[in-house]
Amino acid sequence: DADVTQTPRNRITKTGKRIMLECSQTKGHDRMYWYRQDPGLGLRLIYYSFDVKDINKGEISDGYSVSRQAQAKFSLSLESAIPNQTALYFCATSDLGGLAEGGQFFGPGTRLTVL
Amino acid sequence: GNSVTQMEGPVTLSEEAFLTINCTYTATGYPSLFWYVQYPGEGLQLLLKATKADDKGSNKGFEATYRKETTSFHLEKGSVQVSDSAVYFCALSVWGGGADGLTFGKGTHLIIQP
């Protein structure tokens, strides 16, 4: 079984709809992250969480919100989707020393299309 | 702030050719450096890392050396294979730098032809 899973893997929605992307991990890591990937722009950090009580904005948090329901679950919401939120979204995890020593572990991604 | 600049692609090579993908960075503090690889339709996988100056990371025939004096972390492989075709991302993190997460370059698409 995959260590970091994301659901759904693909989603097509319309402008103005509310969308939730979910991420679960079995690695036992405290830290979880949401990134978006756009062609030619690489990955950009949306939100990150150190634990269930600690949520932080990343580089591009406007238009997004998150919920850390448990250590293993971190959801990303688009309250009112717009077309420029069409992208590939990745969830990632790391442990306390992970960023310095081992980097992050990524899920398979969710491809979101907003029409 | 932190930033990563890597050569733009696509980079097209023949099988068994020598590969170099350039990566330079700017960072506040003392960064750890990473190369990630993304195969078609998949998420990112950590390829190699280096956590301090002059460290050499290596994996699957790929190598990169942390050069503090030139703020570089170039990825090299002596003989590429078709299966190396993927997008490669250079990234950094700064421990204790305040903001968390990785700072990525824009990615380099590598295409290896038989």
Side-chain angles (χ1 to χ4, degrees):
Chain A
D1 288 340
D3 294 321
V4 184
T5 57
Q6 294 183 233
T7 56
R9 294 294 311 277
N10 289 282
R11 182 72 183 269
I12 300 174
T13 190
K14 295 182 179 180
T15 297
K17 294 291 187 181
R18 184 179 187 275
I19 295 296
M20 178 180 285
L21 309 182
E22 299 186 346
C23 176
S24 295
Q25 53 115 346
T26 58
K27 299 193 72 68
H29 287 166
D30 289 323
R31 300 182 171 201
M32 299 186 73
Y33 309 80
W34 277 104
Y35 294 89
R36 65 176 278 176
Q37 182 181 19
D38 297 278
L41 293 179
L43 278 78
R44 292 177 292 167
L45 183 64
I46 305 172
Y47 270 96
Y48 60 100
S49 169
F50 288 176
D51 63 38
V52 294
K53 298 180 181 179
D54 190 337
I55 304 291
N56 302 278
K57 293 182 177 181
E59 178 187 354
I60 53 163
S61 58
D62 287 349
Y64 301 94
S65 62
V66 291
S67 173
R68 185 81 183 267
Q69 300 96 325
Q71 187 207 34
K73 296 183 181 296
F74 192 38
S75 300
L76 176 72
S77 293
L78 288 67
E79 296 301 324
S80 180
I82 55 177
N84 75 2
Q85 291 177 313
T86 293
L88 189 55
Y89 290 85
F90 287 102
C91 175
T93 73
S94 72
D95 59 17
L96 180 62
L99 281 183
E101 294 296 326
Q104 296 180 349
F105 295 87
F106 284 79
T110 295
R111 185 168 295 282
L112 177 66
T113 303
V114 183
L115 302 177
Chain B
N2 302 325
S3 67
V4 175
T5 302
Q6 61 183 106
M7 60 191 296
E8 296 186 15
V11 173
T12 303
L13 296 172
S14 298
E15 205 166 20
E16 300 184 0
F18 183 87
L19 168 71
T20 300
I21 301 178
N22 291 335
C23 171
T24 57
Y25 68 89
T26 59
T28 55
Y30 302 97
S32 294
L33 302 174
F34 307 89
W35 277 100
Y36 282 83
V37 58
Q38 184 180 29
Y39 298 104
E42 298 183 11
L44 278 72
Q45 303 173 26
L46 180 63
L47 179 61
L48 55 83
K49 63 178 173 71
T51 57
K52 62 183 185 296
D54 299 325
D55 270 2
K56 177 184 284 188
S58 61
N59 185 26
K60 299 181 180 180
F62 291 90
E63 294 184 339
T65 301
Y66 188 141
R67 300 289 188 195
K68 185 178 178 182
E69 64 276 12
T70 56
T71 61
S72 65
F73 193 55
H74 304 323
L75 182 68
E76 297 181 336
K77 187 174 185 181
S79 177
V80 293
Q81 306 299 314
V82 172
S83 57
D84 294 327
S85 298
V87 180
Y88 292 81
F89 292 92
C90 186
L92 68 82
S93 68
V94 179
W95 182 246
D100 204 352
L102 289 162
T103 299
F104 285 89
K106 294 182 179 181
T108 301
H109 187 192
L110 176 65
I111 301 169
I112 307 301
Q113 297 178 332

